Amino acid sequence: MPPNRYRQRRGPRPQRKRTGPRPGGVLTETAPVRPAGPVELPNPVVVKDFAEILGVSIAEIINVLIKNGIFATVNQSIDFDTASLVAGELGFETTQSGAAERATAAEAAEAELVAPGTATETNGRTPLWADDDPSTLVARAPIVTVMGHVDHGKTSLLDAIRETKVASGESGGITQHIGASEVDHNGKRIVFLDTPGHEAFTAMRARGAQVTDIAIIVVAADDGVMPQTKEAIDHVRAARVPMIVAINKIDKPDAQPDRVKQELADNGVLIEEYGGDIIAVPVSAKQRTGIDDLMEMVLLVADLQDLKANPDRDAVGTIIESKVDKGRGNVATVLVQTGTLKIGDIVTVGRTSGRVRALNNAAGKRVKVAEPATAVEIIGLQGLPEAGDTLRVVADEKTARDAAETAEIAAAGGEGRTASTLEEVSAQIKDSEVAELRVVLKTDVQGSLGAIRHALERLNTSEVRVNILREGAGDINESDINLASASDAVVIGFNTKLDAGAQRSAEATGVDVRIYDVIYKLTDDLGQALSGLLTPKLVEQIEGHAEVRMVIKAGRAGNIAGSYVTDGRIVRGGQARLMRGGEVIADTRITSLKRFKDDVREVATNLECGIGLDAEDIAEGDVIECYQMVSEQA
């Protein structure tokens, strides 16, 4: 068959239209345009999109990633920190998309995390109306929290107040499902928070919420001052909230109100009868006696505080509790502290946001607005906020989402802790930012307290002093940690230890706990802190060891040590020693850490991993010791 038979039968080959350059021409590719100025990057960013944003080839991006020990394909995502590192090596400056807006939202949120209570500063925070025109401020109802020892009659007292002082316009009593109740006394409104005790009171303070204007400490006349009574007093003092003592159960045959007054004095609570400034009111929740007197005293203390708010501004409030309700979705109780909350308002609340679709007051009735010092249920949030979160009305949904995203990032990164270390307080004292060192003091036995208290009092000067928020004998417990967290205090222990709950709480909140067994070491450290001279001492902490079982050549990225973690953990970015035959041959840093193809932050015992080191001489059988430098704890 002739070679051209196919063409003869099928016809001539059709001519194809040439789309490229003619023969002899040059095929050129337009170079990507490199952006000028800082480059905005999302978090995370896909490698392909990352290359397009920078205006460079994908190969360049992947080469730099491999050089840094990160193996990512064109369609994989990398976080902002990694992308920023790569961009820096390619000569670009970077910023995170939306960072400025989120920062602005975060600053606005921080500006609103202030106390609602008095016309003067409360616990170092500026009143909500500090920037408001004084002519816009109007009087508002006081917000009262009832605390005390178990079985001393807190709930009975609240029930007695509700039944005898139901707010005007409400009938059939108040159905309490929203964490707060409102009563009326002589035409004046009082708001009571239904908290389970001082733990919730302090947990909200630890989150930056200061919602209480007045605290009522309930003490049973037949039982006296008990451990939880003392704890409640400590928490109220730390919050710098005015206190009223309600001596309950005076109707009982074995009631001894005089003994209660003496025990209060022994714990530093001097009532007016004993020459102090604390109001004490004898009541009987069961007999409904003394309720009028208690209400009069609440209003008297409130008048002295001159409680005001601006009802014409955007609302700011605090979440009391939240839940998922069948048929209604996410439901949260908010105490409006200033401004007026309206249906349709767009709000940001902690790590969530939403639009107010419905408002229910304390009586369960639908309302259209909630004015200052009003507790209402709101419906319309996208998620469940936490007790103590601040609710703010914002201009639009984007601002609300940005604020919620900022709070989410901060929570994921462990930010937002208010606890201070002893070194940080010392630095603040040196810079004249604070004038006191707040301490929660626990010792092994009661006899040690007096000696240590006396030693600490001798450290006080006219400029700075030690403020002991709580003292006691026994192990450091979770309540001690919560009090320290809410009050920016440090916990000092002498010949004692932390219980399991306190250990977990301290790790979660970042509270500085220091245990001493020599009294002069304790006084030396606190004395240096008061002088602003205490500096952190760094000590080496071994994280773990890994045995090198294979050396992988990774080109420009160097050698990767295929390793097996024998004990502890290996942490990416940590310091490392490369040891051979018991001798250190390199002190370096762990630049990358992988499990199979995935980048990981740490690898635990009995697991294999690939470890990238800033070292060239790596051999099988070497041992990698991971360590970090941490502040020394006494």
Side-chain angles (χ1 to χ4, degrees), residues 17-55:
K17 186 176 180 180
R18 185 181 299 275
T19 58
R22 293 183 177 275
V26 179
L27 183 62
T28 60
E29 181 180 351
T30 304
V33 178
R34 298 172 75 94
V39 180
E40 284 197 1
L41 298 176
N43 184 22
V45 59
V46 178
V47 171
K48 179 182 178 182
D49 298 337
F50 182 32
E52 291 179 359
I53 293 171
L54 295 186

Side-chain angles (χ1 to χ4, degrees), residues 148-449:
H149 191 74
V150 64
D151 292 334
H152 277 202
K154 300 187 299 292
T155 303
S156 299
L157 181 60
L158 276 171
D159 289 342
I161 291 171
R162 292 170 189 148
E163 290 183 20
T164 57
K165 298 293 175 184
V166 175
S168 59
E170 298 174 358
S171 59
I174 302 178
T175 304
Q176 290 309 307
H177 299 294
I178 74 168
S181 54
E182 298 180 9
V183 302
D184 183 274
H185 181 76
N186 294 339
K188 294 185 178 181
R189 199 164 55 92
I190 304 173
V191 179
F192 285 90
L193 293 186
D194 300 337
T195 62
H198 60 267
E199 294 89 351
F201 174 81
T202 303
M204 295 180 71
R205 283 187 58 230
R207 296 181 57 79
Q210 182 85 344
V211 298
T212 303
D213 300 317
I214 301 169
I216 296 178
I217 304 295
V218 180
V219 187
D222 62 335
D223 204 8
V225 175
M226 301 299 287
Q228 286 186 355
T229 312
K230 297 176 183 178
E231 290 186 1
I233 291 170
D234 291 336
H235 287 269
V236 172
R237 278 177 173 162
R240 300 180 182 177
V241 172
M243 182 192 312
I244 296 175
V245 177
I247 303 177
N248 193 22
K249 303 185 180 181
I250 58 170
D251 58 302
K252 283 200 168 185
D254 54 346
Q256 300 181 48
D258 290 337
R259 179 172 68 91
V260 171
K261 297 172 185 177
Q262 182 59 53
E263 290 177 353
L264 289 169
D266 293 340
N267 285 275
V269 179
L270 283 178
I271 65 173
E272 291 179 329
E273 184 180 337
Y274 282 24
D277 55 1
I278 304 297
I279 297 172
V281 182
V283 297
S284 170
K286 185 177 180 180
Q287 301 294 331
R288 306 292 193 265
T289 58
I291 304 300
D292 283 339
D293 294 338
L294 182 61
M295 295 298 97
E296 288 289 347
M297 292 302 104
V298 168
L299 293 176
L300 174 62
V301 174
D303 288 342
L304 294 175
Q305 289 184 272
D306 192 24
L307 303 171
K308 292 182 179 180
N310 178 7
D312 298 323
R313 58 166 289 172
D314 289 336
V316 179
T318 298
I319 299 298
I320 305 301
E321 62 184 18
S322 62
K323 62 183 178 181
V324 177
D325 187 273
K326 186 176 181 180
R328 295 194 298 169
N330 297 322
V331 180
T333 300
V334 61
L335 179 65
V336 180
Q337 296 167 263
T338 191
T340 299
L341 184 64
K342 303 178 291 294
I343 291 178
D345 281 344
I346 299 171
V347 297
T348 173
V349 194
R351 290 181 280 176
T352 187
S353 60
R355 184 186 293 270
V356 178
R357 294 192 287 108
L359 293 172
N360 296 328
N361 66 9
K365 296 181 179 179
R366 285 290 183 98
V367 293
K368 295 182 178 180
V369 297
E371 296 182 341
T374 302
V376 287
E377 277 186 340
I378 62 171
I379 301 172
L381 297 179
Q382 296 176 359
L384 280 182
E386 297 183 41
D389 281 346
T390 296
L391 175 143
R392 296 181 300 113
V393 173
V394 294
D396 50 50
E397 292 182 356
K398 183 180 184 302
T399 303
R401 286 195 301 269
D402 286 343
E405 182 180 350
T406 300
E408 184 70 39
I409 293 173
E415 300 174 17
R417 296 175 179 177
T418 60
S420 300
T421 65
L422 193 58
E423 290 84 6
E424 290 171 345
V425 176
S426 179
Q428 293 170 355
I429 291 174
K430 183 177 181 180
D431 296 336
S432 301
E433 295 178 8
V434 296
E436 68 177 11
L437 171 60
R438 299 176 182 176
V439 170
V440 174
L441 178 63
K442 297 300 284 286
T443 63
D444 53 346
V445 293
Q446 194 72 29
S448 302
L449 280 176

